[in-house]
Amino acid sequence: MFHKKVEAMSFSDIRGVTASVKLSEKVGDKHPACTLTAIKVAQSIAKKLGVPLRLVTVFEPNDAPPWGNFPMPSGIASSNIDLHEALRLGREAALSAMRTEIMRLVDGMQDVKATGSVVEAFDAAQGVISDAISHSGNLIVVGTAKKSYDYSFQGFSTALSLVNASPVPVLVVPEECELSFESPAFKVLIADDLREGSERLLRSSIGLMSMLSPCQMNHVHILASSLWSMFSNVSEGDVRAECATEMKRRSKPFVEKLKPGSVYESDVRIGDVADTLLGLIRERRPDLVAFGRHVKLSLRPFMIGQMSANAMLGLRKPVLIVP
């Protein structure tokens, strides 16, 4: 296992943070815990980096107007009003209430330059992504409740859709998770398959931590035991050493930029990939787990990979997905 105390160098890559926000369904109600978590984490990152924060919620035109949830114009009660006009008035009332609430949340932000937007889009995730890109947001933060991972006939939750479709990294944070970047003992586990997306994964995950705080970084590669027979004439020690050397080579340009006091380790394991990785996560108890997205697999939700899905669903860990 390669172990190194790293020195600091400057690194600046995040230009803006976008928080995907789900508002309460009724004016005056408390917003979902996942929304409050996303805002808290996104605000912490934006403040730490000195970059703009943007709160984005999506109004989907296909949704029925939330009757009774928003204050409606008095004329809506008239029996003479046209149905299409009623729908238009309901839509406008909903949009107005959502914009008011987003601006209330923005006004409550301190020590960070914040803006907000209500985006009209047929697909919530695409609406968030489009807004983030148009406002130079290259990190999306989304909070999730356990039920957010449910797959139904209607499709995917916004969180899973963001993970699948976003061209920029997505940080998925379970509701009520205390993700603090102030602790010098902040632990990051990077699950690296050493394939074509490896460099992007390292650049984004190590780069993010180089801007935030000192950390203990565990860079892991697991060689599937099912493939071990291919190396039957090579010793386990030689394979581990070769993998560790490649991991060190790929990570070196980014590791050198971590903050003083950070510790980097590379770790090569052989075994069942799922069991070994999930066992490591349980053992090391990282604050954040980083994965690359499997761009070659196009059938959702499998694009995000079995490992990242298990970390989010089963272990309820904050996960950074890098496309």
Side-chain angles (χ1 to χ4, degrees):
M1 181 170 62
F2 172 70
H3 186 285
K4 177 184 177 182
K5 196 81 172 180
V6 298
E7 302 297 330
M9 289 182 66
S10 62
F11 186 89
S12 57
D13 192 36
I14 304 280
R15 298 182 298 276
V17 179
T18 296
S20 175
V21 174
K22 178 178 175 60
L23 300 179
S24 60
E25 295 183 356
K26 188 172 183 178
V27 173
D29 284 359
K30 185 177 180 181
H31 296 304
C34 58
T35 285
L36 301 178
T37 297
I39 292 174
K40 182 178 179 181
V41 171
Q43 183 178 6
S44 172
I45 295 175
K47 179 180 177 181
K48 189 92 173 177
L49 302 183
V51 299
L53 168 63
R54 188 165 176 83
L55 307 184
V56 178
T57 192
V58 177
F59 179 84
E60 299 178 73
N62 282 341
D63 289 347
W67 304 109
N69 289 350
F70 298 100
M72 305 297 290
S74 58
I76 198 86
S78 171
S79 59
N80 297 324
I81 195 167
D82 179 80
L83 177 59
H84 291 291
E85 179 67 4
L87 291 173
R88 184 187 68 80
L89 291 173
R91 173 180 169 279
E92 289 184 356
L95 283 169
S96 177
M98 293 172 76
R99 291 185 182 115
T100 298
E101 184 57 22
I102 278 289
M103 294 317 300
R104 187 189 70 80
L105 290 171
V106 167
D107 291 341
M109 298 287 167
Q110 296 181 354
D111 303 321
V112 64
K113 180 182 178 182
T115 57
S117 177
V118 177
V119 177
E120 294 185 66
F122 288 99
D123 180 277
Q126 289 298 333
V128 172
I129 291 168
S130 297
D131 188 272
I133 292 174
S134 63
H135 290 86
S136 300
N138 56 349
L139 174 66
I140 296 175
V141 180
V142 58
T144 57
K146 186 175 182 179
K147 64 181 181 180
S148 295
Y149 297 110
D150 291 343
Y151 174 72
S152 68
F153 176 77
Q154 294 177 334
F156 294 82
S157 71
T158 300
L160 280 180
S161 295
L162 281 170
V163 164
N164 277 292
S166 175
V168 301
V170 176
L171 175 58
V172 184
V173 188
E175 61 184 6
E176 300 178 352
C177 173
E178 294 295 329
L179 187 60
S180 172
F181 298 100
E182 301 300 327
S183 171
F186 192 91
K187 297 178 182 179
V188 182
L189 189 149
I190 303 175
D192 188 356
D193 58 13
L194 295 181
R195 291 197 281 186
E196 67 277 359
S198 174
E199 184 177 345
R200 294 191 301 275
L201 169 64
L202 295 172
R203 181 189 297 112
S204 293
S205 56
I206 300 179
L208 177 63
M209 293 312 304
S210 72
M211 294 183 283
L212 290 173
S213 66
C215 65
Q216 299 175 21
M217 185 162 289
N218 191 208
H219 183 190
V220 175
H221 174 67
I222 301 170
L223 181 64
S225 53
S226 59
L227 299 177
W228 182 244
S229 59
M230 296 173 58
F231 304 97
S232 57
N233 60 337
V234 181
S235 72
E236 180 177 321
D238 288 344
V239 172
R240 287 178 182 270
E242 183 176 349
C243 289
T245 298
E246 180 61 18
M247 293 166 71
K248 180 179 177 181
R249 184 190 68 80
R250 295 188 185 195
S251 63
K252 187 175 186 297
F254 313 111
V255 169
E256 291 175 343
K257 300 168 184 177
L258 285 170
K259 290 185 177 294
S262 295
V263 173
Y264 168 88
E265 298 177 342
S266 65
D267 194 356
V268 181
R269 300 291 179 98
I270 298 175
D272 178 84
V273 176
D275 291 344
T276 303
L277 181 55
L278 296 179
L280 275 172
I281 293 174
R282 292 189 181 96
E283 173 192 334
R284 304 285 174 85
R285 302 184 68 178
D287 299 288
L288 176 66
V289 184
F291 295 91
R293 188 172 70 198
H294 292 269
V295 297
K296 287 186 177 180
L297 300 178
S298 59
L299 294 178
R300 296 187 299 173
F302 304 106
M303 182 183 290
I304 64 173
Q306 179 187 3
M307 301 305 99
S308 47
N310 284 343
M312 287 189 291
L313 276 63
L315 301 181
R316 302 292 292 155
K317 285 289 183 181
V319 168
L320 179 69
I321 302 292
V322 180

